[in-house]
Amino acid sequence: MKFESPIQRRKSRQIWVGNVPVGGDAPIAVQSMTNTDTLDVDATVKQVTQLQDAGADIVRVSVPSLEAAETFAKIRQQVNVPLVADIHFDYKIALKVAELGVDCLRINPGNIGREDRISAVINAARDSGVPIRIGVNAGSLEKDLQKKYGEPTPDALVESAMRHIDILDRYDFQDYKVSLKASDVFMTVAAYRKIANQIEQPLHLGITEAGGLRSGTVKSSVGLGMLLMDGIGDTIRISLAADPVQEVKVGFDILKSLKLRAKGINFIACPSCSRQNFDVVQTMNDLEARLDDVTTPLDVAIIGCIVNGPGEAREADIGLTGGSPANLLYLDGVPDHKLENESLVDNLERTIRDKIAQRDAASADDKSEQIIVKG
C-alpha cells in the first residue's frame, strides 16, 4: 500500500473563484500571474492559456487602469480559467471589472479610500457573487504600522490583514481569502501561523519576491512546505523571477512531494553514481522534456543500478532498474521485460504513454458508469 499524506488540513470556509472551490475540503489550488502588458490582449490570452495548459487552477492579471479593465474583459471572454483582477487604489477599476466578469478581486480595502468607495466595491462584489482576496505584503505596509513596529514583522502583517478583514466584517462580507506575504521565510511562516487561528477564511500562501528560478524555488519550497505540513494553505502561488509557467510547475511539484495533489508524472530517480548501467541524468532530462504535456498522475522510478532499483521499481507504476547486459522494466511492481540502452528513452516514453492511455480510458469508463447509475 502506498504511503498517504499524514497532513491534517486546517478547516476553512469554502469560497468559489469562478468554478474553482478554494478552502473547505477542496484540493489546494495552484495560481500564477501574468507578466504581459494587460493592454496587449493577444499576448495576455496566450500566456493565460500557457498557464492553464501547465495546470494553473487560477490566474491573476494586473489591472492598473480603467483602460486595462476594458481589455481585461476581452481577455476574460477568450479564456476559461478563472481570472483574478489585481487592483490597487482606484475603486472605479474594481467596479468596472466586477461588472465585466471578473472571478475574484484582489484588493486591500484600506487603500481604496473613503468609506463610500469601500462599500461600493464590497456591494459590487456581493452583487456579482465575486470573492475578494485581501493581499498584505511586507513591502507595502501602512505607514502607521511601519512606525509602530519599526520594520515589517509577523505581528505587523497580521494587524494589517485584520484591519482589512474588519472592514469586510463590518459589511457582513465573508467570501474572501487572505495572504500575508514577505520575502523572509520566517516572517511569512509566523504570520500565517498566527492568522490561521484567528479567521476561518481560506489562506493564499506565497513567499513574495522569492528570487530566480533556483533560489526562489528553494525559498518557496522551504516556507510553503513548513506551512503545508501544518495543514495551513488553501491556494498557493510560487513567486519567481522566471517564466510564470515555471511557477505552476514548481507549485505542483511541492504539492506532489507532500502528497497533497497528484498531477503529471512523479519521477523517482537516483542521482547516479559509478554503479549506474545507463546515463540516468540524460535519461531523466529526455523523459521530462518529452513528457512535459502529461497531466495524468503516474509514479515512474528511474534507478541506475540494482542496489535500490528493484525496491523502488516495485513501488512505482513503472520502474526501471539498471542492469547488465540489459536493464529491467517493472510494470505495476512486477518484472516485465528488459530494455537495451540504445533505445531506452524511446521505449520508456512509449511504455509510459501506453500506461497513461490505459489509465485515462479506465477513468473515462468509471465516469460513464457513474453517470448511468445517477441517471
Side-chain angles (χ1 to χ4, degrees), residues 281-339:
V281 173
Q282 187 61 53
T283 299
M284 278 302 306
N285 288 340
D286 291 343
L287 287 175
E288 287 187 326
R290 292 191 188 193
L291 299 165
D292 192 49
D293 61 304
V294 173
T295 58
T296 302
L298 198 72
D299 289 337
V300 177
I302 306 295
I303 310 297
C305 77
I306 60 171
V307 175
N308 294 321
E312 295 289 357
R314 280 193 293 268
E315 297 300 318
D317 297 305
I318 296 174
L320 180 70
T321 299
S324 181
N327 310 296
L328 182 58
L329 188 72
Y330 287 69
L331 298 180
D332 297 317
V334 179
D336 192 82
H337 62 278
K338 293 188 175 182
L339 296 178

Side-chain angles (χ1 to χ4, degrees), residues 217-281:
T217 294
V218 172
K219 188 182 291 187
S220 297
S221 299
V222 171
L224 270 60
M226 294 167 71
L227 290 167
L228 292 168
M229 280 294 293
D230 286 347
I232 296 171
D234 303 284
T235 174
I236 66 173
R237 188 237 172 144
I238 311 302
S239 298
L240 302 176
D243 183 342
V245 168
Q246 296 298 325
E247 296 186 350
V248 178
K249 293 180 179 179
V250 171
F252 268 105
D253 283 343
I254 291 173
L255 295 178
K256 281 196 297 186
S257 72
L258 295 172
K259 299 186 183 294
L260 290 169
R261 285 286 296 266
K263 175 186 175 295
I265 298 175
N266 174 39
F267 280 109
I268 300 98
C270 68
S272 79
C273 68
S274 61
R275 293 193 305 267
Q276 66 180 358
N277 293 103
F278 62 91
D279 189 335
V280 175
V281 173

